[in-house]
Amino acid sequence: MAKQILLAPLAILPGKSQPQPTTIEIDLDSGVITSIKEGLVQPTEEDKDVMVIEIEEGKVVLPGLVDTHVHLNQPGRTEWEGFQTGTLAAISGGVTTVIDMPLNSIPPTTTLEGLKVKRAEAERVGVNCDIGFWGGIIPGNADELVGMLDQGVKGFKCFLIESGVDEFPCVDEKDLLKACEALKDTNALILFHAELDSTAHSHVSPPSPDPKEYSTFLASRPESWEVDALSLILKLARLYPSLRFHIVHLSAASALPSIRQARSEGVKNLTVETCFHYLCLTAEEIPDNATQFKCCPPIRDSSNRLELRQALIDGEIDYVVSDHSPCVPELKKGDFLESWGGISGLGLGLSLLWTEFQQDEKVDLGRVVDWMSAVQAKQVGLDDKGGLKVGNKADWVLFDPKEKWEVTTQSLLFKNKVSPYVGKNLRGLVEKTYLGGQLVWDHSKGVDGVAYSQGNLL
Ligand SMILES: NC(=O)NC(NC(N)=O)C(=O)[O-]
Ligand SMILES: [Zn+2]
Ligand SMILES: [Zn+2]
């Protein structure tokens, strides 16, 4: 039995906020953790043939990270991103599991056939980390949902407002009731792009301010859209207590009081995510025509950012994702109203959050890792991921929390190197990423050292 033994002076273990000296044994044939011991336990004589990895002081061993919100866009819009490039960016940032969104690929994952096509394509080109799939709810596809769930989708995303791509139309309350009825004997997770424009059909023509300015775009997608969407979602959550409801990419802090109130009234089937960009970027810093910052819902002002940050610390927001949603650079050209909405940042999350929280006494590395691993693994039912524990997949990351580095176009590994993070100075660097005990990313070797296509379809 091929074995790997990790001697880690600092490892983040489940439920522990501070890193601990730990010895971890991994069976390399199954890629599973077989033993975890407190302290540094040197290998015995009979362990002579094992591969021992002695971790340097100061570096931290973490569980592989999970990013449940990425758009890989293959097949159909593979010029925008792809299974290979997206998952390469993921492993370079310690992300060992991604869950792919149902839209922007053609076909979208809104039918069982679409899911098969997507899986076959991922299998054909190979993936560099483990990958699961979300399905989608669109008008008229309620009959497809249970079948997709049986075939392993982790839940279903829908839009309450236009999605930006024609083949993934938004749904209204009637469509949602049909979907919930179809799913009501399951405990399916339904994800909402929670912006609802209840004034869509009114005839007031808005002023036409300068589309070069970020404030124009920001004003075009008010916080009230997120608050209104939440009312509809809460209505459904109360009607269908066996189903689980989830708000993706929460941006508006003014939605937090309703979330708080609903939970205090006993709503237990609602979870909320926010994104790295809402926690690390602000509207005030966005220059004219800097469309790399454009996403929906929009990045809001710095006081909104601080409220989201506090809600995350307080546990009102459950976890943080990238919502990596790239496109070709041509579609990012022009002003804020005409360009594509979507931010690219897959793989940068750990450094972004660590830069944000490293000096915050209330948040230690274990908490950041929880938001980016354990909570998300649990959300999508990956019981053998999300923590360094016996029986789990040996997905682990070597992180240097002190290293400083700058995001440059060259350092980005996703397909189209357009990102609002270019030029940012970050703290904390992923040095190595292991997937099921196999080294897949080594920062010192860069792309030349990558062990390609080691990922599995989940
Ligand atoms: N079509 C998209 O990829 N949309 C995405 N775009 C963003 N967030 O700007 C999303 O998740 O809604
Ligand atoms: Zn969305
Ligand atoms: Zn998205």
Side-chain angles (χ1 to χ4, degrees), residues 241-283:
S242 69
L243 295 173
R244 294 176 294 144
F245 296 81
H246 176 75
I247 296 170
V248 293
H249 50 49
L250 180 81
S251 164
S254 51
L256 290 165
S258 320
I259 294 170
R260 220 171 281 146
Q261 192 185 338
R263 283 175 171 159
S264 75
E265 288 167 5
V267 171
K268 292 202 169 60
N269 53 345
L270 178 76
T271 49
V272 182
E273 73 185 32
T274 191
C275 303
F276 305 118
H277 38 272
Y278 304 126
L279 295 167
C280 303
L281 303 171
T282 57

Short mmCIF file of all heavy atoms in Angstrom, two decimals, residues 241-283:
data_model
loop_
_atom_site.label_atom_id
_atom_site.label_comp_id
_atom_site.label_asym_id
_atom_site.label_seq_id
_atom_site.Cartn_x
_atom_site.Cartn_y
_atom_site.Cartn_z
N PRO A 241 -41.23 23.61 3.08
CA PRO A 241 -40.18 23.47 4.10
C PRO A 241 -39.24 22.30 3.86
O PRO A 241 -38.14 22.26 4.42
CB PRO A 241 -40.97 23.28 5.41
CG PRO A 241 -42.36 22.97 5.01
CD PRO A 241 -42.59 23.47 3.63
N SER A 242 -39.64 21.34 3.01
CA SER A 242 -38.72 20.19 2.78
C SER A 242 -37.64 20.55 1.75
O SER A 242 -36.61 19.91 1.67
CB SER A 242 -39.50 18.97 2.29
OG SER A 242 -39.99 19.23 0.98
N LEU A 243 -37.89 21.59 0.97
CA LEU A 243 -36.88 22.01 -0.02
C LEU A 243 -35.93 23.00 0.65
O LEU A 243 -36.26 23.60 1.66
CB LEU A 243 -37.57 22.66 -1.22
CG LEU A 243 -38.45 21.73 -2.04
CD1 LEU A 243 -39.21 22.52 -3.11
CD2 LEU A 243 -37.63 20.63 -2.68
N ARG A 244 -34.75 23.15 0.03
CA ARG A 244 -33.77 24.11 0.57
C ARG A 244 -33.60 25.26 -0.42
O ARG A 244 -33.51 25.03 -1.63
CB ARG A 244 -32.43 23.40 0.83
CG ARG A 244 -32.54 22.35 1.94
CD ARG A 244 -31.25 21.59 2.11
NE ARG A 244 -30.94 20.79 0.94
CZ ARG A 244 -29.70 20.59 0.48
NH1 ARG A 244 -28.66 21.15 1.08
NH2 ARG A 244 -29.49 19.84 -0.58
N PHE A 245 -33.56 26.46 0.10
CA PHE A 245 -33.50 27.66 -0.75
C PHE A 245 -32.20 28.40 -0.45
O PHE A 245 -31.80 28.52 0.70
CB PHE A 245 -34.73 28.54 -0.48
CG PHE A 245 -36.01 27.85 -0.88
CD1 PHE A 245 -36.62 26.92 -0.04
CD2 PHE A 245 -36.57 28.09 -2.12
CE1 PHE A 245 -37.77 26.25 -0.43
CE2 PHE A 245 -37.74 27.43 -2.52
CZ PHE A 245 -38.34 26.50 -1.66
N HIS A 246 -31.60 28.89 -1.51
CA HIS A 246 -30.28 29.51 -1.34
C HIS A 246 -30.16 30.75 -2.21
O HIS A 246 -30.50 30.73 -3.40
CB HIS A 246 -29.20 28.48 -1.73
CG HIS A 246 -27.81 29.02 -1.67
ND1 HIS A 246 -27.14 29.25 -0.49
CD2 HIS A 246 -26.96 29.41 -2.66
CE1 HIS A 246 -25.93 29.73 -0.75
NE2 HIS A 246 -25.79 29.84 -2.06
N ILE A 247 -29.65 31.81 -1.60
CA ILE A 247 -29.42 33.05 -2.36
C ILE A 247 -27.97 33.06 -2.80
O ILE A 247 -27.07 33.04 -1.96
CB ILE A 247 -29.73 34.27 -1.48
CG1 ILE A 247 -31.22 34.24 -1.14
CG2 ILE A 247 -29.35 35.57 -2.19
CD1 ILE A 247 -31.62 35.23 -0.11
N VAL A 248 -27.76 33.07 -4.10
CA VAL A 248 -26.38 33.17 -4.59
C VAL A 248 -25.97 34.65 -4.60
O VAL A 248 -26.81 35.54 -4.59
CB VAL A 248 -26.20 32.55 -6.01
CG1 VAL A 248 -26.41 31.05 -5.98
CG2 VAL A 248 -27.09 33.20 -7.04
N HIS A 249 -24.72 34.86 -4.60
CA HIS A 249 -24.09 36.20 -4.70
C HIS A 249 -24.89 37.35 -4.11
O HIS A 249 -25.22 38.30 -4.80
CB HIS A 249 -23.65 36.51 -6.14
CG HIS A 249 -24.67 36.30 -7.24
ND1 HIS A 249 -25.95 36.78 -7.17
CD2 HIS A 249 -24.56 35.69 -8.44
CE1 HIS A 249 -26.59 36.46 -8.29
NE2 HIS A 249 -25.77 35.79 -9.07
N LEU A 250 -25.16 37.28 -2.81
CA LEU A 250 -25.82 38.41 -2.15
C LEU A 250 -24.90 39.63 -2.16
O LEU A 250 -23.75 39.55 -1.74
CB LEU A 250 -26.17 38.07 -0.70
CG LEU A 250 -26.87 39.23 0.04
CD1 LEU A 250 -28.35 39.29 -0.29
CD2 LEU A 250 -26.67 39.14 1.55
N SER A 251 -25.43 40.75 -2.63
CA SER A 251 -24.66 41.99 -2.65
C SER A 251 -25.28 43.05 -1.73
O SER A 251 -24.56 43.77 -1.04
CB SER A 251 -24.57 42.51 -4.09
OG SER A 251 -24.16 43.86 -4.10
N ALA A 252 -26.60 43.12 -1.69
CA ALA A 252 -27.25 44.23 -0.96
C ALA A 252 -27.34 43.95 0.54
O ALA A 252 -28.08 43.07 0.97
CB ALA A 252 -28.66 44.46 -1.51
N ALA A 253 -26.62 44.74 1.32
CA ALA A 253 -26.69 44.57 2.77
C ALA A 253 -28.10 44.87 3.29
O ALA A 253 -28.49 44.37 4.34
CB ALA A 253 -25.67 45.47 3.44
N SER A 254 -28.86 45.66 2.54
CA SER A 254 -30.21 45.97 3.04
C SER A 254 -31.15 44.77 2.99
O SER A 254 -32.26 44.83 3.51
CB SER A 254 -30.81 47.16 2.28
OG SER A 254 -30.70 46.94 0.91
N ALA A 255 -30.69 43.66 2.38
CA ALA A 255 -31.51 42.44 2.44
C ALA A 255 -31.27 41.68 3.76
O ALA A 255 -32.05 40.78 4.11
CB ALA A 255 -31.17 41.53 1.25
N LEU A 256 -30.24 42.04 4.48
CA LEU A 256 -29.88 41.26 5.68
C LEU A 256 -30.97 41.28 6.77
O LEU A 256 -31.25 40.23 7.35
CB LEU A 256 -28.54 41.75 6.25
CG LEU A 256 -27.32 41.40 5.38
CD1 LEU A 256 -26.10 42.21 5.81
CD2 LEU A 256 -27.02 39.90 5.43
N PRO A 257 -31.60 42.43 7.05
CA PRO A 257 -32.63 42.40 8.10
C PRO A 257 -33.76 41.40 7.82
O PRO A 257 -34.20 40.70 8.73
CB PRO A 257 -33.15 43.85 8.12
CG PRO A 257 -32.00 44.66 7.62
CD PRO A 257 -31.32 43.79 6.58
N SER A 258 -34.20 41.30 6.55
CA SER A 258 -35.28 40.33 6.26
C SER A 258 -34.80 38.90 6.45
O SER A 258 -35.57 38.03 6.85
CB SER A 258 -35.79 40.46 4.82
OG SER A 258 -35.87 41.77 4.43
N ILE A 259 -33.54 38.65 6.11
CA ILE A 259 -32.98 37.29 6.30
C ILE A 259 -32.97 36.96 7.78
O ILE A 259 -33.43 35.90 8.22
CB ILE A 259 -31.56 37.22 5.70
CG1 ILE A 259 -31.63 37.40 4.18
CG2 ILE A 259 -30.86 35.91 6.09
CD1 ILE A 259 -30.28 37.58 3.50
N ARG A 260 -32.47 37.93 8.55
CA ARG A 260 -32.40 37.78 10.01
C ARG A 260 -33.80 37.52 10.58
O ARG A 260 -34.01 36.58 11.34
CB ARG A 260 -31.88 39.11 10.56
CG ARG A 260 -30.91 38.99 11.70
CD ARG A 260 -30.32 40.38 11.99
NE ARG A 260 -29.27 40.76 11.06
CZ ARG A 260 -29.04 42.02 10.64
NH1 ARG A 260 -29.80 43.03 11.02
NH2 ARG A 260 -28.04 42.26 9.82
N GLN A 261 -34.74 38.33 10.14
CA GLN A 261 -36.09 38.21 10.70
C GLN A 261 -36.72 36.86 10.34
O GLN A 261 -37.29 36.18 11.19
CB GLN A 261 -36.98 39.34 10.20
CG GLN A 261 -38.27 39.39 11.00
CD GLN A 261 -39.25 40.40 10.46
OE1 GLN A 261 -38.85 41.35 9.78
NE2 GLN A 261 -40.52 40.21 10.77
N ALA A 262 -36.56 36.46 9.08
CA ALA A 262 -37.15 35.18 8.66
C ALA A 262 -36.57 34.05 9.49
O ALA A 262 -37.29 33.15 9.94
CB ALA A 262 -36.87 34.96 7.17
N ARG A 263 -35.28 34.10 9.71
CA ARG A 263 -34.65 33.02 10.49
C ARG A 263 -35.17 33.04 11.94
O ARG A 263 -35.42 32.00 12.51
CB ARG A 263 -33.14 33.15 10.44
CG ARG A 263 -32.59 32.64 9.09
CD ARG A 263 -31.11 32.88 9.00
NE ARG A 263 -30.53 32.23 7.83
CZ ARG A 263 -29.36 32.59 7.29
NH1 ARG A 263 -28.67 33.59 7.82
NH2 ARG A 263 -28.88 31.96 6.25
N SER A 264 -35.36 34.25 12.46
CA SER A 264 -35.83 34.31 13.85
C SER A 264 -37.27 33.83 13.95
O SER A 264 -37.73 33.38 14.99
CB SER A 264 -35.68 35.73 14.41
OG SER A 264 -36.70 36.53 13.85
N GLU A 265 -37.98 33.89 12.83
CA GLU A 265 -39.37 33.37 12.83
C GLU A 265 -39.41 31.88 12.52
O GLU A 265 -40.47 31.32 12.31
CB GLU A 265 -40.20 34.13 11.79
CG GLU A 265 -40.50 35.56 12.22
CD GLU A 265 -41.04 36.44 11.08
OE1 GLU A 265 -41.27 35.92 9.97
OE2 GLU A 265 -41.21 37.64 11.32
N GLY A 266 -38.24 31.27 12.40
CA GLY A 266 -38.22 29.80 12.26
C GLY A 266 -37.94 29.29 10.86
O GLY A 266 -38.00 28.08 10.64
N VAL A 267 -37.65 30.17 9.91
CA VAL A 267 -37.29 29.68 8.57
C VAL A 267 -35.90 29.05 8.66
O VAL A 267 -34.92 29.72 8.98
CB VAL A 267 -37.31 30.83 7.53
CG1 VAL A 267 -36.74 30.38 6.20
CG2 VAL A 267 -38.74 31.34 7.35
N LYS A 268 -35.85 27.74 8.41
CA LYS A 268 -34.57 27.03 8.59
C LYS A 268 -33.96 26.60 7.27
O LYS A 268 -32.85 26.09 7.23
CB LYS A 268 -34.80 25.77 9.44
CG LYS A 268 -35.17 26.10 10.86
CD LYS A 268 -34.86 24.92 11.79
CE LYS A 268 -34.97 25.32 13.24
NZ LYS A 268 -36.33 25.80 13.59
N ASN A 269 -34.74 26.76 6.19
CA ASN A 269 -34.29 26.22 4.91
C ASN A 269 -33.79 27.31 3.95
O ASN A 269 -34.03 27.25 2.76
CB ASN A 269 -35.42 25.40 4.26
CG ASN A 269 -36.72 26.20 4.16
OD1 ASN A 269 -36.87 27.23 4.81
ND2 ASN A 269 -37.64 25.71 3.35
N LEU A 270 -33.09 28.29 4.52
CA LEU A 270 -32.54 29.37 3.69
C LEU A 270 -31.05 29.54 4.00
O LEU A 270 -30.68 29.69 5.17
CB LEU A 270 -33.26 30.69 3.99
CG LEU A 270 -32.71 31.90 3.22
CD1 LEU A 270 -33.17 31.87 1.76
CD2 LEU A 270 -33.12 33.21 3.87
N THR A 271 -30.24 29.50 2.96
CA THR A 271 -28.81 29.80 3.13
C THR A 271 -28.44 30.93 2.17
O THR A 271 -29.18 31.22 1.23
CB THR A 271 -27.93 28.56 2.85
OG1 THR A 271 -28.34 27.98 1.60
CG2 THR A 271 -28.04 27.53 3.95
N VAL A 272 -27.29 31.52 2.45
CA VAL A 272 -26.88 32.72 1.70
C VAL A 272 -25.38 32.67 1.44
O VAL A 272 -24.60 32.35 2.34
CB VAL A 272 -27.17 33.99 2.54
CG1 VAL A 272 -26.79 35.24 1.77
CG2 VAL A 272 -28.62 34.05 2.96
N GLU A 273 -25.01 32.99 0.22
CA GLU A 273 -23.57 33.15 -0.07
C GLU A 273 -23.32 34.59 -0.49
O GLU A 273 -24.21 35.28 -1.01
CB GLU A 273 -23.13 32.21 -1.22
CG GLU A 273 -23.65 32.68 -2.56
CD GLU A 273 -23.37 31.75 -3.75
OE1 GLU A 273 -23.32 30.51 -3.58
OE2 GLU A 273 -23.23 32.28 -4.88
N THR A 274 -22.08 35.04 -0.30
CA THR A 274 -21.65 36.26 -0.95
C THR A 274 -20.37 35.94 -1.71
O THR A 274 -19.93 34.78 -1.73
CB THR A 274 -21.50 37.44 0.03
OG1 THR A 274 -21.34 38.65 -0.73
CG2 THR A 274 -20.31 37.27 0.95
N CYS A 275 -19.80 36.94 -2.37
CA CYS A 275 -18.64 36.69 -3.24
C CYS A 275 -17.44 37.47 -2.76
O CYS A 275 -17.57 38.50 -2.09
CB CYS A 275 -18.94 37.12 -4.68
SG CYS A 275 -20.38 36.34 -5.37
N PHE A 276 -16.28 37.01 -3.18
CA PHE A 276 -15.04 37.72 -2.84
C PHE A 276 -15.13 39.19 -3.25
O PHE A 276 -14.69 40.07 -2.53
CB PHE A 276 -13.84 37.04 -3.51
CG PHE A 276 -13.76 35.57 -3.17
CD1 PHE A 276 -13.85 34.60 -4.15
CD2 PHE A 276 -13.62 35.17 -1.84
CE1 PHE A 276 -13.79 33.25 -3.82
CE2 PHE A 276 -13.56 33.83 -1.50
CZ PHE A 276 -13.65 32.87 -2.51
N HIS A 277 -15.73 39.44 -4.43
CA HIS A 277 -15.71 40.83 -4.92
C HIS A 277 -16.57 41.78 -4.09
O HIS A 277 -16.27 42.95 -4.01
CB HIS A 277 -16.04 40.94 -6.41
CG HIS A 277 -17.10 40.03 -6.93
ND1 HIS A 277 -16.82 38.77 -7.38
CD2 HIS A 277 -18.43 40.19 -7.08
CE1 HIS A 277 -17.94 38.20 -7.82
NE2 HIS A 277 -18.93 39.04 -7.64
N TYR A 278 -17.63 41.27 -3.47
CA TYR A 278 -18.43 42.19 -2.64
C TYR A 278 -17.74 42.47 -1.31
O TYR A 278 -18.05 43.46 -0.65
CB TYR A 278 -19.83 41.61 -2.39
CG TYR A 278 -20.58 41.28 -3.66
CD1 TYR A 278 -21.12 40.02 -3.87
CD2 TYR A 278 -20.73 42.24 -4.66
CE1 TYR A 278 -21.79 39.70 -5.04
CE2 TYR A 278 -21.41 41.94 -5.83
CZ TYR A 278 -21.94 40.67 -6.02
OH TYR A 278 -22.60 40.37 -7.17
N LEU A 279 -16.83 41.58 -0.91
CA LEU A 279 -16.12 41.76 0.37
C LEU A 279 -14.81 42.51 0.21
O LEU A 279 -14.27 43.03 1.18
CB LEU A 279 -15.83 40.38 0.99
CG LEU A 279 -17.05 39.58 1.41
CD1 LEU A 279 -16.66 38.14 1.70
CD2 LEU A 279 -17.71 40.20 2.63
N CYS A 280 -14.27 42.51 -1.01
CA CYS A 280 -12.91 43.05 -1.19
C CYS A 280 -12.86 44.27 -2.11
O CYS A 280 -11.81 44.89 -2.21
CB CYS A 280 -11.99 41.96 -1.74
SG CYS A 280 -11.94 40.49 -0.70
N LEU A 281 -13.93 44.58 -2.80
CA LEU A 281 -13.92 45.71 -3.74
C LEU A 281 -15.07 46.65 -3.41
O LEU A 281 -16.06 46.22 -2.81
CB LEU A 281 -14.08 45.19 -5.18
CG LEU A 281 -13.04 44.17 -5.66
CD1 LEU A 281 -13.44 43.59 -7.02
CD2 LEU A 281 -11.64 44.78 -5.74
N THR A 282 -14.93 47.92 -3.81
CA THR A 282 -16.02 48.87 -3.55
C THR A 282 -16.29 49.74 -4.78
O THR A 282 -15.40 49.97 -5.60
CB THR A 282 -15.66 49.84 -2.39
OG1 THR A 282 -14.44 50.50 -2.73
CG2 THR A 282 -15.50 49.11 -1.09
N ALA A 283 -17.51 50.23 -4.84
CA ALA A 283 -17.95 51.06 -5.97
C ALA A 283 -17.07 52.30 -6.12
O ALA A 283 -16.75 52.72 -7.23
CB ALA A 283 -19.40 51.48 -5.75
#
